[in-house]
Amino acid sequence: MKIVKFGGSSLATGESVAQAIQIILSDPQRQVMVVSAPGKRNTTDIKVTDLLIKYADLALKHKNCVEIVNKIFSRYQEIGHYFGLADAELSIIKQILLELPNQGYPNEKYLLAAFKAHGERLNARLITLILRHQGINSRFLDPAEAGLIVTGEPNDAIVNPESYLNLDQIKIKADERIVFPGFFGMTPSGNIATFSRGGSDITGAILARGFHADLYENFTDVNGIFAANPHIIEHPQSIKKMTYREMRELSYAGFSVFHDEALIPAIQGQIPINVKNTHDPSNPGTMIVPEKDFVPDNAITGVTSQKHFSALYLHKYLLNKEAGFTLRILQILYQHNIPYEHMPSGIDDITIIFNNDFLNDQLIDQICNEIQATINPDQLKWIEDYAIIMVVGEGMRQKHTISRQIIDSLGDHDISPQMINQGASQISIMIGTKKEKADEAVKIIYQKFFN
Ligand code: ASP
């Protein structure tokens, strides 16, 4: 059996929903369809999820919501009409939308989560109506009924392992299609909580593990995952096959086609993932598979950069002999609730790399002052506009010259890395550069290994 997830851009219009249905019907193994909320129809359009966030905001302020409800409903109505559904059949969607502010919620965060979740919940209902209208045996299965239990923050939930036991109990008939809304689950007390944005990928992976699927197909609007960002490299190659680990490293560093949290259930269930294009379903897309027996085609699978970092460089002679040096730095960071991303070190120096999202000027001054006073380094330098280039590939484990080749080719273009860190897994190399050099570095590395 296959779990097939469709993203919002694959379900934005009647035409694209028709394509998705055709994909489902073309393979009897495609029994479970996980749906996102309708996404953007064009670049200036607004996703239904974002309209629902607006609706939640207006409802919380007790403002008039007629216009926003009509706007949201019209998205579903447009798709329903495309398939010849009558307004009477669609009225349930409007009713549910109108009722949303009148349900009880423990607090504003839960209210927001419930509003957001209805983008997928109503879409799954709509698609079930469409399938039935076409005479297809189909069933809407809600996370509440399926026992998809989540804990954590109402808008950043995590799956509870009990869900897998519950999903295991669900019976699916051989000739039946299940339509399951992505993006949310139910808390132990019976409230809705959503995953982080883009979280329908996570639902797909949870169902793939819970239903012991043979394959998790993830349909988006591109031909799989590219080896580099198409905004930096013109027409980059798409990756045919990669391992879970490679995907994990690349999504950490900015590959956003597939939600990184969605990898975990797939890894736990050892279920291969196939990222495919709804508008070009015969294209093989990208397979993401277990590491066992994986034979890489290339030394490098992908290269990417992230630019939202800064770094603190500290130099002190005989640092390697001083017990507790790093501990004292970490204590200072901990007191200010600042996480760090990486901490490469040498015999006399250490660089601490931070995600800028957790910093502001005042905090930077404060931690630098405290570190100077407590540790008394010989040199303390704050490096702003730091970028990290990530080169990932299982193939690097066999080839030991990759880091030298990377450094040489960057050097040929006058880029001298500020930090090089090869992960213990040996499948990734992290290179720190100034932000303004990041795109050029990605181009150089891509040219070197892919052309
Ligand atoms: N609709 C949600 C979002 O826009 C979840 C998803 O599409 O996966 O984030």
Side-chain angles (χ1 to χ4, degrees):
M1 189 243 275
K2 296 176 184 171
I3 306 293
V4 192
K5 182 256 168 180
F6 291 95
S9 57
S10 302
L11 302 171
T13 63
E15 281 100 329
S16 42
V17 172
Q19 273 173 321
I21 293 176
Q22 215 177 345
I23 289 171
I24 287 287
L25 297 181
S26 67
D27 182 347
Q29 285 206 64
R30 291 180 171 146
Q31 277 198 281
V32 179
M33 180 179 187
V34 176
V35 300
S36 283
K40 292 182 177 190
R41 291 162 293 188
N42 50 60
T43 45
T44 54
D45 202 11
I46 305 174
K47 288 179 174 192
V48 166
T49 310
D50 292 306
L51 293 175
L52 284 158
I53 293 171
K54 226 182 218 175
Y55 179 21
D57 186 49
L58 291 173
L60 279 169
K61 290 179 180 144
H62 302 289
K63 295 229 173 102
N64 187 325
C65 299
V66 176
E67 199 183 320
I68 191 82
V69 168
N70 286 338
K71 207 166 173 180
I72 297 167
F73 176 61
S74 72
R75 293 294 311 269
Y76 295 102
Q77 201 180 26
E78 181 191 306
I79 297 169
H81 283 172
Y82 179 90
F83 291 93
L85 257 60
D87 278 335
E89 285 176 279
L90 299 169
S91 63
I92 178 79
I93 292 178
K94 181 132 185 203
Q95 251 174 47
I96 296 173
L97 278 172
L98 286 169
E99 273 303 310
L100 277 178
N102 307 328
Q103 313 291 335
Y105 304 102
N107 62 39
E108 293 185 0
K109 286 183 186 171
Y110 284 93
L111 177 143
L112 174 63
F115 274 58
K116 268 165 37 195
H118 275 78
E120 348 301 277
R121 204 181 214 180
L122 296 176
N123 212 21
R125 266 180 176 271
L126 173 68
I127 290 172
T128 314
L129 284 175
I130 294 169
L131 288 172
R132 291 200 171 162
H133 184 78
Q134 297 188 333
I136 298 152
N137 180 9
S138 52
R139 172 156 62 110
F140 165 70
L141 181 59
D142 195 77
E145 190 192 336
L148 201 174
I149 310 292
V150 295
T151 51
E153 283 293 306
N155 292 281
D156 190 9
I158 45 172
V159 63
N160 187 295
E162 188 196 336
S163 305
Y164 298 114
L165 301 176
N166 296 339
L167 290 169
D168 214 15
Q169 302 300 312
I170 306 267
K171 301 267 177 291
I172 302 172
K173 297 197 195 86
D175 61 342
E176 177 185 49
R177 313 276 167 171
I178 299 288
V179 187
F180 199 102
F183 194 35
F184 72 97
M186 309 305 291
T187 66
S189 68
N191 287 287
I192 288 179
T194 71
F195 299 118
S196 54
R197 289 300 301 265
S200 299
D201 282 351
I202 305 175
T203 308
I206 293 168
L207 296 197
R209 178 179 162 194
F211 291 150
H212 312 284
D214 301 299
L215 182 66
Y216 172 23
E217 292 182 305
N218 190 289
F219 279 88
T220 69
D221 53 359
V222 283
N223 281 335
I225 296 165
F226 296 125
N229 183 344
H231 297 297
I232 302 176
I233 307 289
E234 228 179 291
H235 308 303
Q237 291 180 19
S238 58
I239 301 168
K240 290 193 181 63
K241 207 172 185 184
M242 70 202 294
T243 63
Y244 295 133
R245 281 201 296 202
E246 289 179 307
M247 186 69 239
R248 171 90 188 95
E249 304 251 358
L250 287 169
S251 45
Y252 163 79
F255 276 39
S256 58
V257 177
F258 188 72
H259 199 301
D260 58 348
E261 285 174 55
L263 277 169
I264 299 152
I267 295 173
Q268 288 163 338
Q270 292 287 289
I271 295 145
I273 304 161
N274 192 1
V275 178
K276 295 191 74 163
N277 189 350
T278 308
H279 313 297
D280 185 5
S282 60
N283 188 300
T286 301
M287 284 296 297
I288 308 168
V289 297
E291 287 78 32
K292 193 173 167 286
D293 302 330
F294 177 79
V295 184
D297 292 338
N298 232 334
I300 281 176
T301 300
V303 50
T304 177
S305 63
Q306 288 267 283
K307 298 178 187 162
H308 56 270
F309 298 106
S310 357
L312 176 64
Y313 173 79
L314 299 170
H315 183 278
K316 188 167 192 187
Y317 285 113
L318 300 177
L319 183 156
N320 59 328
K321 298 221 164 115
E322 202 173 311
F325 184 89
T326 336
L327 177 69
R328 279 176 287 153
I329 299 174
L330 292 181
Q331 266 163 347
I332 294 170
L333 298 179
Y334 177 66
Q335 273 151 18
H336 294 283
N337 204 14
I338 303 171
Y340 74 90
E341 298 286 315
H342 310 286
M343 198 185 294
S345 62
I347 37 171
D348 289 329
D349 52 18
I350 188 163
T351 309
I352 309 164
I353 298 160
F354 300 96
N355 182 336
N356 288 343
D357 295 347
F358 297 98
L359 295 167
N360 58 46
D361 285 356
Q362 195 186 332
L363 268 177
I364 295 170
D365 285 347
Q366 228 163 347
I367 57 171
C368 288
N369 290 347
E370 288 176 29
I371 289 173
Q372 186 63 52
T374 329
I375 316 264
N376 196 24
D378 303 323
Q379 198 187 345
L380 177 153
K381 194 165 90 180
W382 186 261
I383 309 164
E384 265 184 8
D385 300 334
Y386 201 84
I388 290 181
I389 317 292
M390 189 91 145
V391 186
V392 175
E394 292 279 351
M396 294 199 292
R397 291 201 297 156
Q398 276 99 37
K399 296 214 171 73
H400 303 292
T401 53
I402 301 292
S403 29
R404 203 190 65 220
Q405 289 182 50
I406 294 172
I407 305 310
D408 285 352
S409 29
L410 292 177
D412 291 345
H413 293 82
D414 283 335
I415 299 180
S416 59
Q418 308 203 341
M419 177 274 287
I420 302 162
N421 196 3
Q422 178 145 25
S425 65
Q426 294 186 323
I427 67 155
S428 67
I429 297 173
M430 216 179 269
I431 299 150
T433 66
K434 291 294 279 178
K435 187 169 151 186
E436 65 268 18
K437 293 283 181 190
D439 288 357
E440 197 189 338
V442 167
K443 281 185 196 150
I444 293 165
I445 296 169
Y446 184 86
Q447 296 298 342
K448 172 89 192 154
F449 292 97
F450 288 93
N451 282 353

